[in-house]
Amino acid sequence: MRSSDPGEAGEGLPGLPSHVVPRPRLVRRIHQLLDRHAVLVIAASAGSGKTIAALQAAQALSSPVAWVSLVGMSDTGDSGADAEMPARLLAAAVAPHAPDVAVALTDALGRGFPPSGVGALLSRMLAGTDLVVVIDRVETTGASAGAKKLLGALAGNLPAGPRLVLISRTDLPQGIGGLGDVHRVAFLEDEDLAFDVAEATEALRRMDRDDDPCRLVEATGGWVTGVVYDWGGSDASASAVQHERLAAELLAELTPDEASLLVRTSLLEDGVTPEQANALGLASPDRTMASLRGRRLPLAWSPDGRRMVALPRFRQYLRREIGRLDANTVAELRRAYARLLQSRGRHEEAVAELLMSGDTHTARHAAERALPTVLDRLDLATAESWIDRMRPAPRPLAPGLAAAGLRLAFGLEQCWRGVQLADHHGRSWWAGLAEQDDGAEELALLVWCLWHVGRIDEAHDVLGVMSPGDARDIAAALLALADNSVAPLAPDILDRVAGPLEAMVVRIAYMAGQLRHIQDAGSPGAWRTVAGAPWTVAALRAEGRISQAEEAYASVDDGSRPVWLEAIDAAELMADLGRRDEAWAALLTGRERIAATGSRVYEILSLLLEAKLALRLDHDLPRAARALAEAERRGCARYAFTKELANMWRGLTLLMADRDEEAVAPLTAAVAGMRSGGRHLELPAACAYLSEALWRTGDEEGADTAADLALDVATAQGPRHLLLQALDDVPSVAVRRADAEPTHSSRWHEVVSALSTARPVAGYAEPRLVLEDFGPVRLVADGREVHPRLAKSLELLAYLMSRHAGSARRQDLLQALFPGRGDATGRSYLRQAVYRLREVLPDGISLVQDGDAYRLNPPSAVVSASGTVQRLLSEAARQDGEHRWDTLRRALDIAEHGSYFDSVSTYWLDTRRAELDTALMQARVDAATVALRLGRVRETRRLARVVLDSDPYREQAWRLALCAAEAVGSDDELLDLYRGYLRAMNELGVPPSADLRRLVDRLRR
C-alpha cells in the first residue's frame, strides 16, 4: 500500500496495488455520502489511506467516474495560466464519458475563459449526467489562485446528478468557494479513514507480520500508514525506498517550525521533551510539540503528551535530514547536544558530538572524563579516534589524557605514541607524573614505550623518579631484559595489579620463562585477557599444548589481533603445526604490522625468528646468517635477551655448518646471560646446543652438565616442548644422557622415547565430518549421523584419514581394501565405494580423484577419533606434569569406547588396530608414570593393572605397580606383585631384571 497516487489521470481508473486491504465498511460510507451530497471532501493527513479508499469506492460505483490527479501543480503567477492545467486534466478525464463536455471545455480554454468561467461551464454541461468527478491532491492548488477559482466554481455550481469528490492531504486551501453548504457538501477526515482492529488484522496477515493489531491500532489511532508500515524497523524486508518516500511526504506537510523540531531533535536517543528541545536552541518547543501532537506521524507519545519518540525508521530519515542543514547550524546543534549529554553524565557521547562539531578544545575536557571508561573496556578504536583527532595536545597535558594516551600506546602496541608524548611535553611532564597519586602506572607505560624504541637510558631516568611499589617493580623487570640486571617479580604480583600492568607482567613473565606463573595466576582482568592474549598463546605453545594454543589463537577476534599474535605467535604456531608456507607468510605479513608500532624490539625479534625458521624449517644457513647480521645491525646487542637469542641461533648455525669450535663461544655466552638474568624460556634449548658443541669439542663433562641443566630447567619452568624442539636438532644429546643413566626409567629415557615416537602435531579447523572409529563405527556429517550404502565406503574413508593429508594412491587402496581381487574387479568395487561415500559427504567436502590418487578436500574439515588420539599422544610427548596427564587422559578416554573398527577384520584394519593398541598401551604406561610423579597413586595402580592384564611381560608396568604399592605402604601387595613378575619372567625363560630386584630391596627398606 502507498500513501501517494496509485496511478495517473487518463482513461479509466488508476490501478490498485494487489496487496491492498479491502475496506467494505469505508466503501459503504463513501457511497452513502455521495447518495446524499453533491460534493464529498476527503481531507486527511498523508498516509491515511484516503486515495486508496476513494479508488475502492469508485471501482464499486455503478456510475461512471472521471479521475484527475493534480500532482505537479505549480504557481505560475498567472491566474489564467495556472488554471489551464487542471482544466485540461478535467477535459481529458471527462472525455470518455461525455465527449461533448470535453470539446466545449477545450474550446473555452482556447477562447481565454477565466478560471471561474471554466468551472461554471463544466458544472452546467454536466447537468443531466451521473458522472462522478474525483480530483486528487487538491492541496497542490494552495498557491494557485486560478486553480482555486476553477474548483470553487465547479463545486459551487454543480447541479443535481453529477457529483464531485475532492481529495486533499490538508484542509482545503482557502479560496475554494462553495464548500460551506452542509446540505450539499460532506467531509471525511482522519478518524473516518482509520483502520479498525479487524482491518488492521487483515493488513498484517497479508504482509505476514505478527505484530499485535490491537496494540498498533491503539498506538497509532488506526492511522493506516502507522499500521501498515513497519516504522519500528522489525521487518528487515520492508522497503527502505518506500519508508524514505513516505517520510519525505510526511515532513513536507509540516510547518517549518514543526519540521525543524523533528529534524533537530532526532539527535536525541531517548525521546524529546520541551526542555530538551529548548536546550538544543529551539524556540517555543512546547507550542510546536502541541501542534505535532495533532498530526498523523510515526511518533510515540507519553500519556501526558510531554515526551515524544520518533519511531526508528522515521528517526533514521530525520537524522539524515540533518545533513541538509548548513555546516554552522549543524556544528552549533551538535555542541548544544553535547552540553545536554554532559549534563546527564553521558560524556562518551558528548565527546563524539563535540568532535563532529569541530570543537576539539571542549572535546578534550569531555574526553578526560570519558577515556578511562572507554579504555577500561578496551575500546581501543574509539580511544584512538578521539586522541588522534584532538592532536596536537596542549601544554601542559591534562592528567586524564596523559594516562589515556599511554594506555592507548600500550593497548595498540604503538610505542611511538608514548615517545611522542614524552618528546612533546618534556621531562617536566613525566617527572610531574611521579607526584600524582595515580601516576605510577603511566610512568611504567612510558618506560615500556622508551624501552621498545631503544631509548634505554631515558627509560632508566623515568624509573629513577618512580616510587617503590608494584608499578616500579614491573618497570624494573622490563628494563632487566635490556641491561641484564636481576629484577624478579613477586609470585603473587598478578593478583595485585590490574589494567595494562597486568598485561605487562604476563609479557615479562613469558620472556623470563615463568610459564607456570602465567597459567597458575588467578582470574584475568580485561587487559590481561585481550592485551595479554598473545603471550598466553605463546606460553601454551612453549608448554607443548599445541591444540589449546591453536584454539586460543583462533578465538581472538580477527579485527583486533595484537601485533605479537600476528607477527610472532602466528609464525611460531604454524611452524609447530608443520605448515611451513603459512609460517613464512605469517612472518612476512607480521612485519607490516610491526612497522606501524615503531618498536625496535619487535623488528629484532622478527629477524631472530626468521633465523630460527630458516634453520628449523629449511636448513637454510645463508638466510639464517643474513637475518642474524641484520638483527645485529638493528641493535640486538642493546637488549640482553635478544643478544642471548642471537648468540643461540648463531651457535646452532655454526653447529649445522660443522664449525663446532666456533659454536662454543656464542652458545656459552647465551647460556651464561640467560642464567644470570633469570631468563629460562630458551635456556633449555641453548643448553642443549651447548651440550652438543662441548661434546663435539671433547668436553664430555661440560656436555653432560649442560644437558642436565636443560632438562632441569624445562622440568621446573615448563618449556619441555622447546627443549624437545632443540633436541630434534641435536638428538644425540638425549641419547648420550639416556645411555649414561643406571636404569631405563629415567627422564632422559622418556625424552628419547618422545623424540623417537612423536609425530608432528597437526592442527585442524572445526571438523564437519567425524568418523567415530573406536567401538561401533559411526559417521557424523554436520552433527547428523549418516550411513553410506556400502560398508566398504567407511573403510575407504578410514584408510584415507589414516594417511598423510587424507590422500592415497589407487593401488594402495586396492591392496588394502580388496586384497586378492583381480585388477578389473577391484577397481569396480573401489568405484562403487567411492560413489557411495560421495553420496553422504556434506556440501563443501569432496573426495577428489587426481590421476591415480584419491584425496579428501579439505582434509582439515575431516577428523577421526583415532586421528584425534594420535594427535593428543603426539602433544603429550612434548608436555610434562599436569598438562601431560590431562592430554594423555583425554586420549585414553576417547579410546575407551571400544577397539578400532570393532568386530570388523581385514588385513589392513587388523594392522591399524594393532598399531593403535600398541600406542595406547604405551600411553597407559606413560600416564601411570606421570600419575605417580603427581601423587595420583590410585590412577597409577589402575593403569598399571590394565596394562599388565593385557601384557604381563611389560617390565615398566611392573615397576610402576611396585612403586604404587610401596607408596600406599603395602609390603604384602609389593611382594605379591614381585612374585607375579617373577612368574611372568619365568614363562619367558629370562632371568628377572637386576634393576627391578634392587628396586624391591630398596622399597622394602
Side-chain angles (χ1 to χ4, degrees), residues 615 621 624-625 628 646-667 689 692-693 696:
L615 296 172
L621 305 187
L628 290 170
N647 277 327
M648 182 177 74
W649 298 123
R650 186 174 295 109
L652 178 59
T653 304
L654 293 168
L655 279 177
M656 295 175 72
D658 294 325
R659 295 161 63 183
D660 306 327
E661 294 285 350
E662 296 174 65
V664 172
L667 290 171
Y689 297 144
E692 179 69 11
R696 292 186 189 181

Side-chain angles (χ1 to χ4, degrees), residues 658-925:
D658 294 325
R659 295 161 63 183
D660 306 327
E661 294 285 350
E662 296 174 65
V664 172
L667 290 171
T668 300
V671 170
M674 291 174 184
R675 295 188 71 183
S676 64
R679 287 177 287 276
H680 295 156
L681 180 67
E682 297 286 358
L683 180 56
C687 286
Y689 297 144
L690 177 59
S691 177
E692 179 69 11
L694 292 173
W695 178 270
R696 292 186 189 181
T697 55
D699 187 353
E700 297 183 12
E701 183 178 351
D704 291 346
T705 301
D708 290 342
L709 177 60
L711 186 57
D712 289 344
V713 172
T715 301
Q717 301 295 331
R720 174 177 164 121
H721 174 60
L722 301 186
L723 171 60
L724 288 170
Q725 283 188 321
L727 292 174
D728 281 334
D729 299 326
V730 286
S732 57
V733 171
V735 174
R736 283 194 298 268
R737 291 303 297 125
D739 285 344
E741 292 294 325
T743 70
H744 289 180
S745 57
S746 72
R747 291 210 165 199
W748 277 115
H749 283 90
E750 289 181 21
V751 169
V752 171
S753 176
L755 289 172
S756 61
T757 60
R759 305 191 313 172
V761 177
Y764 61 90
E766 188 68 26
R768 295 186 55 209
L769 188 69
V770 179
L771 179 64
E772 300 287 354
D773 47 10
F774 284 111
V777 180
R778 297 172 62 247
L779 183 60
V780 179
D782 289 336
R784 180 177 58 88
E785 187 170 355
V786 295
H787 303 277
R789 299 188 191 184
L790 285 181
K792 276 292 181 184
S793 295
L794 287 176
E795 198 176 332
L796 166 64
L797 179 62
Y799 187 88
L800 290 171
M801 295 174 72
S802 70
R803 295 301 183 264
H804 177 67
S807 176
R809 295 170 60 85
R810 181 194 294 116
Q811 194 58 38
D812 295 333
L813 287 168
L814 291 172
Q815 290 176 359
L817 304 180
F818 310 105
R821 306 256 184 198
D823 284 351
T825 304
R827 289 187 180 188
S828 175
Y829 282 141
L830 178 59
R831 283 194 296 271
Q832 293 178 48
V834 168
Y835 176 72
R836 296 306 181 189
L837 178 57
R838 284 172 173 162
E839 284 184 325
V840 299
L841 294 178
D843 291 341
I845 298 178
S846 57
L847 176 53
V848 179
Q849 184 177 1
D850 184 5
D852 69 340
Y854 291 84
R855 60 182 172 84
L856 294 165
N857 185 47
S860 59
V862 184
V863 67
S864 66
S866 59
T868 300
V869 165
Q870 289 186 301
R871 178 176 54 82
L872 290 172
L873 295 182
S874 294
E875 280 196 43
R878 294 180 172 265
Q879 298 170 353
D880 199 8
E882 288 283 357
H883 302 318
R884 190 177 190 197
W885 163 254
D886 288 339
T887 305
L888 288 169
R889 182 174 50 79
R890 286 166 55 201
L892 293 172
D893 285 347
I894 293 172
E896 288 298 320
H897 292 90
S899 62
Y900 181 72
F901 264 76
D902 199 15
S903 304
V904 181
S905 178
T906 66
Y907 176 76
W908 95 264
L909 282 177
D910 292 342
T911 302
R912 170 78 168 149
R913 186 180 299 119
E915 172 190 322
L916 289 169
D917 287 345
T918 299
L920 289 168
M921 191 68 69
Q922 184 58 48
R924 293 185 181 97
V925 172

Side-chain angles (χ1 to χ4, degrees), residues 489-706:
L489 293 170
D492 63 342
I493 195 167
L494 276 176
D495 298 325
R496 301 201 305 264
V497 297
L501 293 182
E502 187 180 14
M504 195 183 297
V505 169
V506 171
R507 301 176 184 208
I508 297 168
Y510 173 77
M511 294 295 186
Q514 297 171 339
L515 306 182
R516 290 174 183 169
H517 184 71
I518 298 172
Q519 304 296 336
D520 296 341
S523 300
W527 277 84
R528 180 176 158 201
T529 299
V530 177
W535 286 269
T536 301
V537 171
L540 290 169
R541 186 193 66 82
E543 290 179 326
R545 299 157 69 183
I546 307 301
S547 295
Q548 290 169 270
E550 185 182 15
E551 291 168 9
Y553 172 81
S555 69
V556 180
D557 180 35
D558 286 342
S560 60
R561 291 192 162 184
V563 176
W564 181 280
L565 189 77
E566 291 285 83
I568 306 296
D569 278 344
E572 299 238 57
L573 188 57
M574 294 305 107
D576 282 4
L577 292 170
R579 286 143 62 172
R580 174 194 175 277
D581 292 345
E582 292 176 63
W584 281 116
L587 177 81
L588 298 177
T589 302
R591 287 186 178 165
E592 297 175 9
R593 296 285 309 276
I594 287 173
T597 69
S599 170
R600 180 73 58 83
V601 171
Y602 284 168
E603 289 178 356
I604 293 168
L605 287 173
S606 179
L607 290 164
L608 296 178
L609 179 55
E610 180 179 356
K612 174 182 176 179
L613 296 183
L615 296 172
R616 288 265 176 85
L617 298 180
D618 299 336
H619 295 276
D620 188 341
L621 305 187
R623 181 170 186 174
R626 288 194 300 272
L628 290 170
E630 182 61 20
E632 187 71 29
R633 191 184 70 80
R634 300 282 180 98
C636 76
R638 188 70 180 84
Y639 299 88
F641 82 109
T642 55
K643 180 180 180 181
E644 293 154 7
L645 290 174
N647 277 327
M648 182 177 74
W649 298 123
R650 186 174 295 109
L652 178 59
T653 304
L654 293 168
L655 279 177
M656 295 175 72
D658 294 325
R659 295 161 63 183
D660 306 327
E661 294 285 350
E662 296 174 65
V664 172
L667 290 171
T668 300
V671 170
M674 291 174 184
R675 295 188 71 183
S676 64
R679 287 177 287 276
H680 295 156
L681 180 67
E682 297 286 358
L683 180 56
C687 286
Y689 297 144
L690 177 59
S691 177
E692 179 69 11
L694 292 173
W695 178 270
R696 292 186 189 181
T697 55
D699 187 353
E700 297 183 12
E701 183 178 351
D704 291 346
T705 301

